[in-house]
C-alpha cells in the first residue's frame, strides 16, 4: 500500500501515480466510497479486457440503499442495466459524449496497462479526468465497454450548497474537455426532469417533488455558470 496526504490528492495525477506504483497488466480503479455488491465484481469488471479491441471497462453504479429517492432515480437513469460497447465515432462529438455517457466513470473501472501507458490521465485536468481519458481512448481506436454485471453501491446526496460547487467544477471541466460537437444539455436535462417527475409520482413520493425541482435548478445554474469558468 502506498499512502499520500489528503491535500496531495489530484484526480489525474494520483491515478497516474497509482498506475506507476503497480505491476499488473490491468489497472483497476475503485473509489473509497464504492462498495462492490457481488463477489464476482472484479471478475466481471476485467473480463471485457480479454478482447484485444477493448481498452477500458466501466462498471455500474447503484445508489446506496439509504439514498434519497431522487438520487436512486438518477443512478438508475444514467447507469442502465444494459451492456454497452462504445466505439470511435462517439469521440467525434465530445460534447454529446460528455453529457450522454455519465457511466464513463473512474468510480469503478479497469484499464489495460498498455493503454494507460500510451495515453495516461492528463495532469492538467482537475476533474472529469475519466471523460477526457475515455475520449482519447476512443480516438486511439480502442473500444470501451460498460459492464452492468460489475456493480457497486455508490451515490452522493449533495446538499444544495455542495451541489452548486460541484456542478460549477463540472461545467468548467466540460468547457475545457468537450471542445467540439453539439451541446444538448438543455434537451437532455429537460428529458431527465420529466422522467424523474414521472418516477416520483409513480412511486408516490409526491413530497419529494418540490425539493427535486429546486435541486435540478441548482444543478442547471451551477453547470451553466461553470462553463464560463476557466
Amino acid at each position: 500500500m502506498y499512502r499520500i496526504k489528503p491535500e496531495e490528492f489530484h484526480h489525474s495525477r494520483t491515478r497516474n501515480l497509482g498506475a506507476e506504483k503497480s505491476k499488473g497488466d490491468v489497472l483497476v480503479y475503485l473509489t473509497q466510497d464504492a462498495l462492490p455488491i457481488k463477489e464476482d465484481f472484479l471478475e466481471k469488471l476485467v473480463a471485457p479486457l480479454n478482447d484485444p479491441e477493448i481498452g477500458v471497462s466501466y462498471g455500474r453504479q447503484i445508489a446506496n440503499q439509504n439514498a434519497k429517492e431522487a438520487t436512486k432515480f438518477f443512478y438508475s437513469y444514467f447507469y442502465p442495466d444494459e451492456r454497452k460497447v462504445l466505439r470511435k465515432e462517439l469521440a467525434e462529438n465530445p460534447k454529446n459524449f460528455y453529457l450522454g455517457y455519465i457511466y464513463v466513470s473512474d468510480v469503478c473501472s479497469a484499464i489495460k496497462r498498455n493503454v494507460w501507458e500510451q495515453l495516461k490521465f492528463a495532469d492538467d485536468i482537475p476533474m472529469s479526468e475519466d471523460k477526457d481519458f475515455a475520449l482519447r481512448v476512443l480516438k486511439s481506436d480502442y473500444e470501451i465497454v460498460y459492464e452492468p454485471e460489475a456493480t457497486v453501491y455508490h451515490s452522493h446526496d449533495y446538499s444544495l450548497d455542495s451541489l452548486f460547487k460541484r456542478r460549477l467544477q463540472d461545467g468548467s471541466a466540460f468547457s475545457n474537455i468537450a471542445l467540439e460537437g453539439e451541446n444538448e444539455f438543455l434537451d437532455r436535462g429537460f428529458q431527465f426532469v420529466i422522467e424523474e417527475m414521472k418516477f416520483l409520482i409513480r412511486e408516490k413520493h409526491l413530497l419529494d417533488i418540490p425539493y427535486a425541482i429546486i435541486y435540478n435548478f441548482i444543478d442547471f445554474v451551477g453547470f451553466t455558470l461553470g462553463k464560463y469558468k476557466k
Side-chain angles (χ1 to χ4, degrees):
M1 180 180 294
Y2 187 85
R3 296 180 181 274
I4 64 171
K5 296 178 181 179
E7 60 270 20
E8 294 176 346
F9 176 79
H10 182 278
H11 286 287
S12 292
R13 291 194 289 270
T14 301
R15 285 178 169 84
N16 283 335
L17 176 64
E20 292 165 1
K21 295 292 184 181
S22 68
K23 297 179 180 179
D25 293 331
V26 175
L27 308 172
V28 174
Y29 291 97
L30 185 70
T31 59
Q32 82 288 350
D33 56 350
L35 178 65
I37 295 176
K38 297 180 179 179
E39 292 184 357
D40 62 354
F41 159 76
L42 187 58
E43 177 185 351
K44 296 292 187 181
L45 183 64
V46 303
L49 302 186
N50 291 324
D51 185 331
E53 301 295 321
I54 306 300
V56 184
S57 65
Y58 296 98
R60 183 187 184 195
Q61 300 175 44
I62 296 176
N64 294 320
Q65 293 175 305
N66 62 347
K68 295 177 181 177
E69 294 303 319
T71 301
K72 291 179 180 179
F73 173 76
F74 175 92
Y75 282 86
S76 67
Y77 186 85
F78 287 113
Y79 295 85
D81 58 5
E82 179 183 352
R83 191 175 191 265
K84 308 283 187 180
V85 179
L86 313 183
R87 297 183 173 87
K88 184 176 183 179
E89 56 266 22
L90 292 176
E92 297 173 0
N93 190 339
K95 290 183 178 180
N96 182 64
F97 180 82
Y98 191 107
L99 297 172
Y101 297 87
I102 304 296
Y103 55 71
V104 171
S105 169
D106 280 336
V107 165
C108 56
S109 64
I111 305 171
K112 287 179 178 175
R113 172 174 289 280
N114 66 309
V115 174
W116 171 80
E117 288 175 342
Q118 177 184 343
L119 301 172
K120 297 189 177 182
F121 294 101
D123 284 346
D124 59 344
I125 299 293
M127 182 180 165
S128 298
E129 79 296 331
D130 39 22
K131 302 295 189 298
D132 173 76
F133 185 80
L135 279 167
R136 291 186 289 116
V137 167
L138 294 176
K139 290 178 181 178
S140 299
D141 285 328
Y142 292 104
E143 295 178 355
I144 291 173
V145 166
Y146 167 71
E147 179 49 74
E149 292 297 316
T151 55
V152 297
Y153 284 125
H154 176 266
S155 61
H156 296 285
D157 281 320
Y158 292 114
S159 67
L160 295 181
D161 178 64
S162 60
L163 172 68
F164 180 73
K165 293 177 181 177
R166 171 77 179 190
R167 294 298 276 162
L168 271 177
Q169 295 176 322
D170 198 17
S172 177
F174 172 79
S175 65
N176 285 284
I177 294 172
L179 302 178
E180 302 171 334
E182 300 176 0
N183 186 349
E184 300 178 354
F185 177 60
L186 283 177
D187 291 341
R188 290 181 180 276
F190 182 74
Q191 184 62 40
F192 168 77
V193 171
I194 293 298
E195 293 303 320
E196 181 185 40
M197 293 302 109
K198 289 180 180 179
F199 167 80
L200 292 174
I201 293 171
R202 183 173 61 250
E203 299 298 321
K204 297 181 173 58
H205 297 296
L206 302 183
L207 295 179
D208 292 334
I209 291 178
Y211 185 81
I213 293 174
I214 296 172
Y215 194 93
N216 288 322
F217 177 74
I218 296 297
D219 185 301
F220 169 77
V221 172
F223 186 86
T224 300
L225 293 177
K227 288 193 296 183
Y228 300 98
K229 180 183 177 182
K230 300 297 184 178

